[in-house]
Amino acid sequence: MKKVLALVMIVLMLIPAVSAGTIDGSARFLKEAAKSSQQTREISLAIMALSEASNDLEWDIAPELDNLVTTLLKYQNPDGGWGLYPGETSNVLDTAYAVIALERADPIVGALRVEGVRNAINSGLSYLLSSGNEGGWGYVPGTPTSCYPTLVTIWALGESGYTYNSKVVREAIKYVENTTTCEIPEYEALALKLIAYHSTGYPVSNETIESVKEILLNDGNLKMKERAMLTYALVLHTPIDFDTARILIKLESYSKSTNNLVYWMNTPDLFSSTELVATTSYALMAFSTSFELPPVKGVKNPYEMPCQELKNLQNPDGGWGLGRNEPSDEKATYYALMSIQACYPEKESIEKALAWTRGAFERDAVWMRQERRMSVGYYYALKTLLMYNNLTAEEKAQAEELIRSVQLDYGLWGNTVLGPQPYETALAIKALRELGVPANDSLVQRAKEWLLSISNGGWGTHVTTKYYSYMLKPDVLTTITVLEALSEIASQEELQPHMDWLIEQRINGGWPYWKTYYVWEKNKEFPGTPTVELTVRATDLLMDHGYNYTNETLEFVMNARDSGAIDNKTIELASTINYLSRFQYVPPVSLYDVRSALDSDVFGIIAPHMDAATVNETIDMLNDLFSGGFIALNTTTIGEGSYIVMAHYGEYFVRPYNPYLKFHLTNETVTVGNVTVPIAKAVILIPGKTPKGVVLFVFYEQENAEIAKEVFTTGFIRYIRGNAMILLNENGKVRVIVVG
């Protein structure tokens, strides 16, 4: 009795105050309460709850558990069982509770080398198995089968690895299912039944789970112990949803606290220490089961650039070839030098590349004079030298004169076999413009007129004969090059048909040379393979004309990098570096980070489609649940702090705030990670990172606005987890899918 009174004194000293954290506070209470008890059942329940909460605490509970387990081991009788108090005759009920407690604690205290835990469990199991009747257990061996000891023993066997396929468990469950009454209160029996069934894997119907929710939400006569036990049973069987969130919030609202201690009192049984410890233990197990800390894992920078791979492809002569060990090439070297600037370039490497480029530039000039054609190599060598300001004014004038001198006709470049070519003409115009020739130069205007006159949808190889001229199948490379040349000298209206053609060529997230190509030998058409170079160039070009493919291209580029598609391909590697270098590193972020920030940061609430009353209701609930601050904003702009953004699909790009998570929209579906669901039925929760805070995106269609609202008003926001969450509306019920 002395120990009981000591515990009562602890309770009477508690004065309600602000909780320091439900899980932390109740764990602190239980470890102190268990020290003040000699009851096997009390110590066992405390061990169970503290073991369940061990991963959710910021402090190491293992030493405390070690002490409690050591105490419990001392209480074990020679027959393998435990009594209500040390030295008392063994009974089934206390032995079952002790076995459960030791099973829960064993993985945690095992590191501290507590001896005999496994042996104690095995001895306890032997006692239980030898004490049973046919179909169940009485309170002590030889007494009639009773509901309460049978339920707890099923639970103990389940914790020890027995399933409902085991004969002893199967027979005991059969007894429970056929029993209409139990000697303990109805709801305690229901809770123990669900807990025991969960431990053995015995299925429980959805109707039973829904009935438990109904009891917890609407029965005002529940005792606190019944509420705690049923809540724990519920969270074992069902993922967190809006109803479960309401139930957990309701249970938490009944807690009492002072300083850093939290407990639940089974009023009016104030002086029943068992009820106090049991109620708090089941409540802590409910919260610990529903709570989840983020997994510890290293995360690779999603924008990591393949710099070393590109550097390794540089040839001894200083240039880069199109691939490993291939002859140095002007275009490959230009792309490499343009991109390697983002990779902490070595001065010696750049100087060698420029020396090679200078030689190539001079050789290409000789070839142009001899062949009287525009050289692709000369164009890229010129761009490289201009990029590094490596040409004198005299050399620039000579380059302009050379390009003008190799025209086939005024404003047209090509070859004498096929005639003027869109690609070579575009390269010449781009080179002249970069050398300072104005857009209104008559030669430039002549080239523009010709290019626009020969096609209404893309450009490719052009054939000119004595009697007629025609375009072969347009290709993406030529079309992009021409559009780049015309972008500043032609109107949007003049370019629009070609923009439309280019957009139509997109396939599998990128742009290939041809969307499809025909193989005569196989008499079959095949889809083209998108490249990073063409995809990045097309994206940049289209962005200048109002078409934004940033997110899609970023995903394509990262996939190409990670799949090995760009390995040993200089231009592809360089294009990848070029694109990824535009994005600042964003630290990895998850819903765990958002949940943590809700207790510390000031959040701006952006909800352009929610009425003021709904926003205010949301803010009121957030203020009740968390310690942070929440302010409604009359803006749609995300700044540098922390935000909750409730918006329709497509109104915000996720990638700048969370490049780690796959998020893709079509007209009918949304893909989050590896999960694809219908947009019309889904509310999506996605975390993001800003320079000085976090952002929680809540995306929804208007018909699901009520679900978006209930994320906050039900208290569900307290239990967000994973890399993202999908709330799926299925026939009026919300199913929760955790992504990652």
Side-chain angles (χ1 to χ4, degrees):
M1 187 64 183
K2 181 179 178 181
K3 293 292 184 180
V4 174
L5 288 175
L7 181 57
V8 170
M9 290 301 294
I10 293 174
V11 174
L12 293 177
M13 291 169 60
L14 300 180
I15 302 172
V18 177
S19 172
T22 301
I23 292 177
D24 182 84
S26 51
R28 292 184 187 279
F29 173 82
L30 283 174
K31 74 180 181 67
E32 296 301 326
K35 290 178 186 177
S36 303
S37 175
Q38 290 185 329
Q39 263 197 28
T40 297
R41 207 170 312 166
E42 277 190 337
I43 296 171
S44 297
L45 283 166
I47 289 173
M48 289 181 215
L50 293 172
S51 300
E52 188 76 50
S54 61
N55 290 327
D56 303 329
L57 300 170
E58 295 183 358
W59 43 282
D60 185 8
I61 192 64
E64 301 287 348
L65 276 172
D66 179 32
N67 292 333
L68 292 175
V69 167
T70 300
T71 298
L72 194 59
L73 292 178
K74 290 178 181 177
Y75 290 1
Q76 190 173 26
N77 293 323
D79 62 3
W82 278 263
L84 178 60
Y85 288 100
E88 292 193 356
T89 303
S90 298
N91 68 75
V92 169
L93 196 59
D94 286 291
T95 301
Y97 274 114
V99 167
I100 297 166
L102 293 176
E103 285 284 8
R104 294 280 183 93
D106 187 36
I108 302 165
V109 300
L112 301 177
R113 301 190 180 184
V114 174
E115 295 181 2
V117 174
R118 202 69 248 165
N119 289 337
I121 292 172
N122 291 335
S123 295
L125 286 171
S126 295
Y127 174 87
L128 292 174
L129 292 171
S130 65
S131 301
N133 303 319
E134 187 172 339
W137 287 263
Y139 283 87
V140 293
T143 59
T145 300
S146 295
C147 172
Y148 186 21
T150 298
L151 285 172
V152 182
T153 302
I154 293 172
W155 182 6
L157 293 175
E159 293 286 334
S160 300
Y162 287 76
T163 71
Y164 70 92
N165 291 319
S166 303
K167 182 180 179 182
V168 64
V169 173
R170 188 167 63 248
E171 292 298 320
I173 290 177
K174 183 178 179 181
Y175 161 79
V176 170
E177 288 294 299
N178 291 328
T179 298
T180 57
T181 60
C182 197
E183 64 271 25
I184 58 176
E186 176 188 0
Y187 291 147
E188 287 190 27
L190 174 59
L192 283 175
K193 177 180 173 181
L194 294 176
I195 295 167
Y197 285 5
H198 179 269
S199 75
T200 62
Y202 188 74
V204 173
S205 68
N206 289 332
E207 291 77 9
T208 301
I209 298 302
E210 291 303 315
S211 70
V212 171
K213 289 182 179 180
E214 181 69 22
I215 293 166
L216 288 165
L217 287 169
N218 299 313
D219 192 329
N221 297 317
L222 276 178
K223 286 188 175 182
M224 199 56 58
K225 182 182 176 185
E226 294 171 332
R227 177 173 294 282
M229 292 179 70
L230 280 174
T231 302
Y232 175 50
L234 176 65
V235 298
L236 285 176
H237 283 276
T238 185
I240 294 293
D241 58 18
F242 290 162
D243 287 338
T244 313
R246 289 188 182 98
I247 289 163
L248 286 163
I249 294 295
K250 197 167 187 176
L251 176 60
E252 188 173 12
S253 72
Y254 290 117
S255 67
K256 300 184 183 299
S257 61
T258 185
N259 298 326
N260 64 349
L261 302 178
V262 176
Y263 67 98
W264 282 260
M265 187 181 295
N266 198 32
T267 309
D269 301 321
L270 173 60
F271 294 99
S272 172
S273 62
T274 302
E275 295 303 304
L276 182 66
V277 171
T279 304
T280 303
S281 295
Y282 282 110
L284 176 55
M285 285 191 281
F287 288 111
S288 295
T289 302
S290 59
F291 187 79
E292 184 177 323
L293 286 173
V296 178
K297 58 182 179 180
V299 180
K300 179 181 177 182
N301 177 7
Y303 303 141
E304 185 176 36
M305 299 178 292
C307 294
Q308 190 60 47
E309 293 92 324
L310 182 64
K311 182 182 175 182
N312 291 342
L313 292 181
Q314 188 172 19
N315 289 328
D317 63 11
W320 274 264
L322 295 175
R324 186 178 297 277
N325 299 324
E326 294 190 22
S328 295
D329 173 87
E330 296 89 330
K331 180 177 179 180
T333 301
Y334 164 74
Y335 268 85
L337 284 174
M338 178 181 65
S339 301
I340 209 168
Q341 295 179 75
C343 297
Y344 311 105
E346 297 175 4
K347 183 179 179 182
E348 181 182 357
S349 177
I350 294 174
E351 288 176 346
K352 286 177 62 178
L354 287 175
W356 179 86
T357 300
R358 168 65 72 169
F361 179 68
E362 294 170 356
R363 290 190 296 274
D364 291 333
V366 171
W367 183 89
M368 285 176 62
R369 292 188 187 97
Q370 292 174 345
E371 301 295 326
R372 298 195 59 78
R373 291 183 59 183
M374 180 65 198
S375 164
V376 176
Y378 183 83
Y379 169 76
Y380 281 104
L382 173 65
K383 282 180 69 70
T384 299
L385 298 175
L386 288 172
M387 179 170 61
Y388 282 92
N389 197 24
N390 207 261
L391 291 176
T392 65
E394 182 180 3
E395 287 174 323
K396 291 178 184 178
Q398 290 172 350
E400 179 183 339
E401 178 57 34
L402 175 60
I403 293 169
R404 289 179 180 271
S405 71
V406 296
Q407 299 172 75
L408 283 181
D409 196 359
Y410 190 66
L412 306 179
W413 286 260
N415 61 74
T416 55
V417 177
L418 299 177
Q421 293 302 309
Y423 185 66
E424 292 178 30
T425 298
L427 287 180
I429 295 303
K430 289 175 69 176
L432 291 172
R433 296 281 288 124
E434 291 184 41
L435 287 166
V437 175
N440 61 1
D441 183 273
S442 60
L443 183 148
V444 172
Q445 288 298 312
R446 168 68 180 117
K448 167 196 161 183
E449 292 169 4
W450 179 73
L451 288 167
L452 292 175
S453 71
I454 59 175
S455 173
N456 289 319
W459 291 271
T461 300
H462 191 260
V463 178
T464 302
T465 70
K466 182 177 180 180
Y467 303 103
Y468 56 87
S469 62
Y470 59 94
M471 184 90 68
L472 297 180
K473 182 177 182 177
D475 64 79
V476 170
L477 174 61
T478 302
T479 300
I480 290 174
T481 305
V482 174
L483 285 171
E484 289 170 344
L486 297 181
S487 281
E488 294 182 1
I489 60 177
S491 68
Q492 179 78 21
E493 183 180 1
E494 289 173 316
L495 297 180
Q496 192 61 53
H498 307 286
M499 295 287 179
D500 294 340
W501 181 89
L502 181 60
I503 291 170
E504 290 175 1
Q505 307 313 300
R506 187 167 173 268
I507 181 175
N508 297 331
W511 276 267
Y513 185 84
W514 277 314
K515 186 174 183 178
T516 59
Y517 61 95
Y518 190 80
V519 178
W520 289 98
E521 293 84 351
K522 297 185 177 182
N523 192 29
K524 187 176 180 181
E525 197 168 54
F526 293 89
T529 301
T531 70
V532 175
E533 178 208 352
L534 294 179
T535 299
V536 170
R537 286 176 66 180
T539 300
D540 290 345
L541 176 70
L542 291 168
M543 176 67 81
D544 290 339
H545 292 271
Y547 300 94
N548 192 339
Y549 288 93
T550 302
N551 266 13
E552 295 89 338
T553 294
L554 182 56
E555 185 171 336
F556 173 84
V557 171
M558 291 193 296
N559 287 340
R561 174 201 61 193
D562 298 337
S563 69
I566 63 174
D567 291 355
N568 297 322
K569 300 175 183 177
T570 300
I571 294 175
E572 293 291 274
L573 280 165
S575 297
T576 298
I577 293 170
N578 171 35
Y579 201 71
L580 294 179
S581 67
R582 306 174 192 182
F583 299 90
Q584 293 184 343
Y585 172 69
V586 177
V589 62
S590 69
L591 289 175
Y592 304 104
D593 300 306
V594 173
R595 185 180 64 194
S596 176
L598 289 166
D599 268 321
S600 59
D601 292 5
V602 175
F603 278 77
I605 311 297
I606 298 174
H609 308 291
M610 296 284 188
D611 59 77
T614 298
V615 173
N616 290 334
E617 185 180 355
T618 298
I619 290 175
D620 288 343
M621 190 64 177
L622 287 167
N623 283 325
D624 286 343
L625 295 172
F626 301 104
S627 304
F630 305 93
I631 303 169
L633 300 179
N634 186 24
T635 181
T636 57
T637 301
I638 298 174
E640 294 191 344
S642 291
Y643 298 84
I644 293 173
V645 179
M646 304 167 71
H648 292 169
Y649 290 102
E651 292 184 333
Y652 288 88
F653 288 119
V654 170
R655 181 70 71 180
Y657 306 96
N658 189 345
Y660 303 88
L661 183 69
K662 181 180 180 181
F663 181 69
H664 180 67
L665 294 171
T666 69
N667 290 334
E668 296 183 354
T669 65
V670 54
T671 298
V672 186
N674 60 352
V675 181
T676 300
V677 293
I679 282 179
K681 295 185 177 181
V683 174
I684 308 294
L685 277 60
I686 293 178
K689 194 77 181 69
T690 65
K692 297 179 181 178
V694 297
V695 56
L696 172 64
F697 292 103
V698 182
F699 291 124
Y700 65 97
E701 290 286 270
Q702 191 57 42
E703 58 263 38
N704 293 319
E706 188 64 24
I707 296 176
K709 171 186 171 183
E710 289 185 335
V711 168
F712 304 94
T713 57
T714 62
F716 179 83
I717 186 70
R718 286 286 296 271
Y719 306 101
I720 57 176
R721 64 187 63 184
N723 295 327
M725 295 184 90
I726 300 170
L727 310 181
L728 204 58
N729 187 352
E730 295 180 330
N731 300 318
K733 290 284 186 180
V734 176
R735 179 162 69 95
V736 178
I737 302 171
V738 179
V739 179

mmCIF file of all heavy atoms in Angstrom, residues 515-535:
data_model
loop_
_atom_site.group_PDB
_atom_site.id
_atom_site.type_symbol
_atom_site.label_atom_id
_atom_site.label_comp_id
_atom_site.label_asym_id
_atom_site.label_seq_id
_atom_site.Cartn_x
_atom_site.Cartn_y
_atom_site.Cartn_z
ATOM 1 N N LYS A 515 10.302 12.958 -84.591
ATOM 2 C CA LYS A 515 9.329 12.327 -83.706
ATOM 3 C C LYS A 515 9.141 10.871 -84.107
ATOM 4 O O LYS A 515 9.044 9.976 -83.259
ATOM 5 C CB LYS A 515 7.998 13.066 -83.756
ATOM 6 C CG LYS A 515 6.967 12.561 -82.768
ATOM 7 C CD LYS A 515 5.721 13.419 -82.773
ATOM 8 C CE LYS A 515 4.710 12.966 -81.738
ATOM 9 N NZ LYS A 515 3.502 13.843 -81.727
ATOM 10 N N THR A 516 9.092 10.621 -85.403
ATOM 11 C CA THR A 516 9.071 9.254 -85.929
ATOM 12 C C THR A 516 9.960 9.214 -87.164
ATOM 13 O O THR A 516 10.160 10.231 -87.841
ATOM 14 C CB THR A 516 7.652 8.800 -86.329
ATOM 15 O OG1 THR A 516 7.139 9.685 -87.338
ATOM 16 C CG2 THR A 516 6.718 8.803 -85.122
ATOM 17 N N TYR A 517 10.486 8.044 -87.452
ATOM 18 C CA TYR A 517 11.285 7.882 -88.665
ATOM 19 C C TYR A 517 10.977 6.512 -89.269
ATOM 20 O O TYR A 517 10.619 5.572 -88.568
ATOM 21 C CB TYR A 517 12.777 8.037 -88.382
ATOM 22 C CG TYR A 517 13.342 7.028 -87.414
ATOM 23 C CD1 TYR A 517 13.957 5.863 -87.872
ATOM 24 C CD2 TYR A 517 13.261 7.235 -86.038
ATOM 25 C CE1 TYR A 517 14.463 4.929 -86.992
ATOM 26 C CE2 TYR A 517 13.767 6.310 -85.148
ATOM 27 C CZ TYR A 517 14.370 5.156 -85.630
ATOM 28 O OH TYR A 517 14.868 4.229 -84.753
ATOM 29 N N TYR A 518 11.127 6.451 -90.569
ATOM 30 C CA TYR A 518 10.737 5.239 -91.301
ATOM 31 C C TYR A 518 11.982 4.451 -91.702
ATOM 32 O O TYR A 518 12.958 5.011 -92.212
ATOM 33 C CB TYR A 518 9.962 5.627 -92.560
ATOM 34 C CG TYR A 518 9.301 4.461 -93.255
ATOM 35 C CD1 TYR A 518 8.101 3.946 -92.791
ATOM 36 C CD2 TYR A 518 9.887 3.878 -94.383
ATOM 37 C CE1 TYR A 518 7.485 2.873 -93.427
ATOM 38 C CE2 TYR A 518 9.287 2.805 -95.023
ATOM 39 C CZ TYR A 518 8.085 2.308 -94.536
ATOM 40 O OH TYR A 518 7.480 1.248 -95.163
ATOM 41 N N VAL A 519 11.945 3.141 -91.437
ATOM 42 C CA VAL A 519 13.042 2.251 -91.820
ATOM 43 C C VAL A 519 12.560 1.397 -92.978
ATOM 44 O O VAL A 519 11.679 0.539 -92.816
ATOM 45 C CB VAL A 519 13.476 1.354 -90.631
ATOM 46 C CG1 VAL A 519 14.582 0.391 -91.075
ATOM 47 C CG2 VAL A 519 13.941 2.207 -89.461
ATOM 48 N N TRP A 520 13.123 1.663 -94.155
ATOM 49 C CA TRP A 520 12.657 0.995 -95.366
ATOM 50 C C TRP A 520 12.892 -0.507 -95.310
ATOM 51 O O TRP A 520 12.050 -1.302 -95.753
ATOM 52 C CB TRP A 520 13.361 1.581 -96.601
ATOM 53 C CG TRP A 520 12.891 2.974 -96.908
ATOM 54 C CD1 TRP A 520 13.488 4.142 -96.568
ATOM 55 C CD2 TRP A 520 11.684 3.323 -97.590
ATOM 56 N NE1 TRP A 520 12.750 5.211 -96.987
ATOM 57 C CE2 TRP A 520 11.620 4.735 -97.637
ATOM 58 C CE3 TRP A 520 10.639 2.587 -98.181
ATOM 59 C CZ2 TRP A 520 10.587 5.420 -98.235
ATOM 60 C CZ3 TRP A 520 9.610 3.270 -98.783
ATOM 61 C CH2 TRP A 520 9.584 4.677 -98.805
ATOM 62 N N GLU A 521 14.040 -0.893 -94.749
ATOM 63 C CA GLU A 521 14.346 -2.322 -94.718
ATOM 64 C C GLU A 521 13.300 -3.116 -93.928
ATOM 65 O O GLU A 521 13.010 -4.272 -94.229
ATOM 66 C CB GLU A 521 15.738 -2.564 -94.109
ATOM 67 C CG GLU A 521 16.884 -2.030 -94.951
ATOM 68 C CD GLU A 521 17.133 -0.543 -94.686
ATOM 69 O OE1 GLU A 521 16.313 0.079 -93.981
ATOM 70 O OE2 GLU A 521 18.129 -0.025 -95.214
ATOM 71 N N LYS A 522 12.743 -2.471 -92.894
ATOM 72 C CA LYS A 522 11.755 -3.149 -92.058
ATOM 73 C C LYS A 522 10.331 -2.735 -92.390
ATOM 74 O O LYS A 522 9.377 -3.240 -91.794
ATOM 75 C CB LYS A 522 12.039 -2.872 -90.579
ATOM 76 C CG LYS A 522 13.383 -3.425 -90.116
ATOM 77 C CD LYS A 522 13.574 -3.232 -88.619
ATOM 78 C CE LYS A 522 14.891 -3.854 -88.161
ATOM 79 N NZ LYS A 522 15.083 -3.717 -86.696
ATOM 80 N N ASN A 523 10.212 -1.796 -93.338
ATOM 81 C CA ASN A 523 8.888 -1.306 -93.747
ATOM 82 C C ASN A 523 8.044 -0.922 -92.524
ATOM 83 O O ASN A 523 6.879 -1.287 -92.396
ATOM 84 C CB ASN A 523 8.152 -2.374 -94.575
ATOM 85 C CG ASN A 523 6.912 -1.800 -95.245
ATOM 86 O OD1 ASN A 523 6.856 -0.605 -95.558
ATOM 87 N ND2 ASN A 523 5.924 -2.647 -95.465
ATOM 88 N N LYS A 524 8.687 -0.152 -91.640
ATOM 89 C CA LYS A 524 8.036 0.177 -90.380
ATOM 90 C C LYS A 524 8.500 1.539 -89.875
ATOM 91 O O LYS A 524 9.639 1.937 -90.101
ATOM 92 C CB LYS A 524 8.354 -0.905 -89.330
ATOM 93 C CG LYS A 524 7.606 -0.770 -88.029
ATOM 94 C CD LYS A 524 7.932 -1.942 -87.099
ATOM 95 C CE LYS A 524 7.198 -1.818 -85.780
ATOM 96 N NZ LYS A 524 7.533 -2.960 -84.865
ATOM 97 N N GLU A 525 7.581 2.235 -89.176
ATOM 98 C CA GLU A 525 7.911 3.533 -88.597
ATOM 99 C C GLU A 525 8.227 3.345 -87.114
ATOM 100 O O GLU A 525 7.545 2.608 -86.409
ATOM 101 C CB GLU A 525 6.738 4.500 -88.766
ATOM 102 C CG GLU A 525 7.129 5.957 -88.567
ATOM 103 C CD GLU A 525 6.030 6.897 -89.020
ATOM 104 O OE1 GLU A 525 4.893 6.737 -88.540
ATOM 105 O OE2 GLU A 525 6.317 7.791 -89.850
ATOM 106 N N PHE A 526 9.266 4.031 -86.639
ATOM 107 C CA PHE A 526 9.709 3.926 -85.253
ATOM 108 C C PHE A 526 9.675 5.296 -84.585
ATOM 109 O O PHE A 526 9.883 6.322 -85.243
ATOM 110 C CB PHE A 526 11.138 3.371 -85.187
ATOM 111 C CG PHE A 526 11.254 1.945 -85.638
ATOM 112 C CD1 PHE A 526 11.486 1.640 -86.975
ATOM 113 C CD2 PHE A 526 11.123 0.915 -84.724
ATOM 114 C CE1 PHE A 526 11.590 0.335 -87.392
ATOM 115 C CE2 PHE A 526 11.229 -0.410 -85.140
ATOM 116 C CZ PHE A 526 11.459 -0.707 -86.472
ATOM 117 N N PRO A 527 9.435 5.337 -83.258
ATOM 118 C CA PRO A 527 9.491 6.619 -82.555
ATOM 119 C C PRO A 527 10.932 7.078 -82.375
ATOM 120 O O PRO A 527 11.846 6.266 -82.216
ATOM 121 C CB PRO A 527 8.840 6.305 -81.201
ATOM 122 C CG PRO A 527 9.071 4.846 -81.013
ATOM 123 C CD PRO A 527 9.027 4.237 -82.390
ATOM 124 N N GLY A 528 11.133 8.372 -82.413
ATOM 125 C CA GLY A 528 12.461 8.922 -82.200
ATOM 126 C C GLY A 528 12.854 8.883 -80.733
ATOM 127 O O GLY A 528 12.030 8.664 -79.848
ATOM 128 N N THR A 529 14.136 9.099 -80.479
ATOM 129 C CA THR A 529 14.662 9.120 -79.111
ATOM 130 C C THR A 529 15.025 10.547 -78.729
ATOM 131 O O THR A 529 15.905 11.152 -79.355
ATOM 132 C CB THR A 529 15.909 8.229 -78.998
ATOM 133 O OG1 THR A 529 15.569 6.890 -79.370
ATOM 134 C CG2 THR A 529 16.452 8.243 -77.573
ATOM 135 N N PRO A 530 14.372 11.119 -77.729
ATOM 136 C CA PRO A 530 14.688 12.495 -77.330
ATOM 137 C C PRO A 530 16.126 12.608 -76.832
ATOM 138 O O PRO A 530 16.678 11.670 -76.256
ATOM 139 C CB PRO A 530 13.699 12.774 -76.194
ATOM 140 C CG PRO A 530 12.614 11.763 -76.351
ATOM 141 C CD PRO A 530 13.269 10.550 -76.938
ATOM 142 N N THR A 531 16.725 13.757 -77.065
ATOM 143 C CA THR A 531 18.073 14.028 -76.565
ATOM 144 C C THR A 531 18.027 15.217 -75.617
ATOM 145 O O THR A 531 17.125 16.063 -75.684
ATOM 146 C CB THR A 531 19.041 14.348 -77.708
ATOM 147 O OG1 THR A 531 18.715 15.634 -78.269
ATOM 148 C CG2 THR A 531 18.984 13.295 -78.802
ATOM 149 N N VAL A 532 19.010 15.281 -74.737
ATOM 150 C CA VAL A 532 19.074 16.394 -73.788
ATOM 151 C C VAL A 532 19.356 17.696 -74.526
ATOM 152 O O VAL A 532 18.750 18.736 -74.238
ATOM 153 C CB VAL A 532 20.149 16.130 -72.714
ATOM 154 C CG1 VAL A 532 20.293 17.343 -71.789
ATOM 155 C CG2 VAL A 532 19.793 14.891 -71.904
ATOM 156 N N GLU A 533 20.273 17.650 -75.504
ATOM 157 C CA GLU A 533 20.607 18.882 -76.230
ATOM 158 C C GLU A 533 19.367 19.516 -76.859
ATOM 159 O O GLU A 533 19.067 20.693 -76.646
ATOM 160 C CB GLU A 533 21.635 18.593 -77.332
ATOM 161 C CG GLU A 533 21.966 19.849 -78.142
ATOM 162 C CD GLU A 533 22.397 19.574 -79.578
ATOM 163 O OE1 GLU A 533 22.597 18.390 -79.934
ATOM 164 O OE2 GLU A 533 22.511 20.551 -80.354
ATOM 165 N N LEU A 534 18.645 18.731 -77.643
ATOM 166 C CA LEU A 534 17.482 19.281 -78.342
ATOM 167 C C LEU A 534 16.380 19.664 -77.362
ATOM 168 O O LEU A 534 15.671 20.656 -77.561
ATOM 169 C CB LEU A 534 16.961 18.263 -79.358
ATOM 170 C CG LEU A 534 17.896 17.962 -80.529
ATOM 171 C CD1 LEU A 534 17.277 16.918 -81.452
ATOM 172 C CD2 LEU A 534 18.219 19.234 -81.314
ATOM 173 N N THR A 535 16.238 18.894 -76.281
ATOM 174 C CA THR A 535 15.191 19.188 -75.303
ATOM 175 C C THR A 535 15.470 20.500 -74.578
ATOM 176 O O THR A 535 14.572 21.326 -74.381
ATOM 177 C CB THR A 535 15.067 18.030 -74.301
ATOM 178 O OG1 THR A 535 14.715 16.839 -75.010
ATOM 179 C CG2 THR A 535 14.009 18.322 -73.251
#
